[in-house]
Amino acid sequence: MSALLTVRGLTAGYGGATALDDVSLSLAAGETVALLGANGAGKSTLLKALLGLVPAWGELRFDGADLGGLATETRVRRGIGYVPEGRRVFPGMSVRDNLEVAGLPAARERAQDVERIFALFPDLALKSGESAWRLSGGQQQMLSLGRALMGRPRLLLLDEPSLGLSPRLADELFVAVRRIAGTGTAVLLAEQSAARALTVAPRAVLLRVGRVVGDGPVASLSEETLREVFFGV
Ligand code: ATP
């Protein structure tokens, strides 16, 4: 199977400190992969490097083309959607406008996409005319996810989407992620909560202090490896 995303020998850092050290991984079209690691392991940095939001060295290919040197906007246009950590919505804009401004230029397609997202998140449909700041934290996270979907991504990068959500809302969000993955969108899901991530991802990549220390089907990852990743023992 040809890969949708290929990362080879990726290195990134902040000032003198290395955050990613020789990271390699690949994702097939439509595949869902959990990116697991403790706080500070480099998950966010990896997602940002894929988008060109932090400088990185190494090979990055998406859909057969080299991403190196491309502007973030170009990467997004090519089909990489991103939901950053924390909810990024325009608080003063209505729910519908938050989606619209993230949509495709063609009005008809954009309108279809808004309806598709309202079908995925019925709570958002009910509040379509309300200002985004009036939404609950979970609804804002769904809106943030909806905004990323408006670009019709083939790869969706999710940075700790359940952070700060109640268990019930986190479950709801993960149901949505499963449905998105079910439509054929590849998902790279950065999570500190392995248990939750593994409910949607059959495969996991484990990061520890900037290095990949495991990659494979969830069943093949030993408990020792997982423990080492999260607790360093
Ligand atoms: P978290 O769950 O906290 O987001 P993470 O696995 O996503 O953790 P990163 O945020 O990618 O980890 O951080 C990797 C390393 O880079 C850490 O040592 C962190 O302190 C450092 N780092 C991250 N962002 C910056 C920054 N803007 N400036 C300096 N160092 C940073």
Side-chain angles (χ1 to χ4, degrees):
M1 205 175 350
S2 73
L4 177 66
L5 174 76
T6 308
V7 177
R8 251 188 236 129
L10 196 74
T11 297
Y14 302 92
T18 302
L20 295 176
D21 183 8
D22 197 20
V23 166
S24 298
L25 61 98
S26 68
L27 237 88
E31 191 179 11
T32 300
V33 174
L35 181 62
L36 302 179
N39 201 350
K43 305 180 296 295
S44 300
T45 303
L46 176 56
L47 300 190
K48 287 177 188 164
L50 297 179
L51 281 156
L53 292 170
V54 298
W57 292 264
E59 192 185 335
L60 278 185
R61 299 184 74 79
F62 180 69
D63 205 14
D66 190 358
L67 286 182
L70 294 183
T72 299
E73 194 195 326
T74 311
R75 300 184 197 204
V76 170
R77 231 183 296 121
R78 291 205 178 168
I80 304 182
Y82 175 49
V83 182
E85 201 176 312
R87 293 132 215 161
R88 304 290 165 85
V89 299
F90 294 111
M93 269 189 199
S94 72
V95 168
R96 180 181 289 277
D97 287 349
N98 260 281
L99 294 173
E100 293 256 354
V101 296
L104 300 182
R108 198 159 150 255
E109 293 181 329
R110 200 167 60 234
Q112 284 169 353
D113 289 342
V114 170
E115 292 317 312
R116 193 166 48 86
I117 286 155
F118 282 163
L120 187 63
F121 300 115
D123 279 6
L124 295 184
L126 293 173
K127 305 217 162 173
S128 67
E130 299 223 15
S131 297
W133 67 266
R134 298 179 66 96
L135 300 180
S136 71
Q139 289 165 345
Q140 287 187 23
Q141 186 60 276
M142 286 167 193
L143 183 55
S144 187
L145 191 52
R147 284 170 47 75
L149 292 174
M150 285 297 290
R152 299 193 179 180
R154 276 171 296 154
L155 169 63
L156 189 60
L157 307 175
L158 300 176
D159 198 353
E160 309 227 16
S162 68
L163 203 71
L165 299 187
S166 69
R168 188 183 63 78
L169 284 172
D171 285 346
E172 217 175 284
L173 188 84
F174 271 70
V175 168
V177 171
R178 260 201 302 276
R179 283 178 63 187
I180 294 162
T183 64
T185 308
V187 178
L188 184 57
L189 167 69
E191 263 291 341
Q192 269 187 62
S193 157
R196 205 178 282 289
L198 300 181
T199 63
V200 295
R203 178 183 146 210
V205 171
L206 309 179
L207 270 187
R208 185 168 179 226
V209 217
R211 297 188 71 95
V212 174
V213 293
D215 181 350
V218 169
S220 76
L221 302 169
S222 72
E223 221 163 274
E224 284 93 309
T225 314
L226 282 169
R227 222 179 342 223
E228 187 193 314
V229 163
F230 289 100
F231 306 111
V233 293

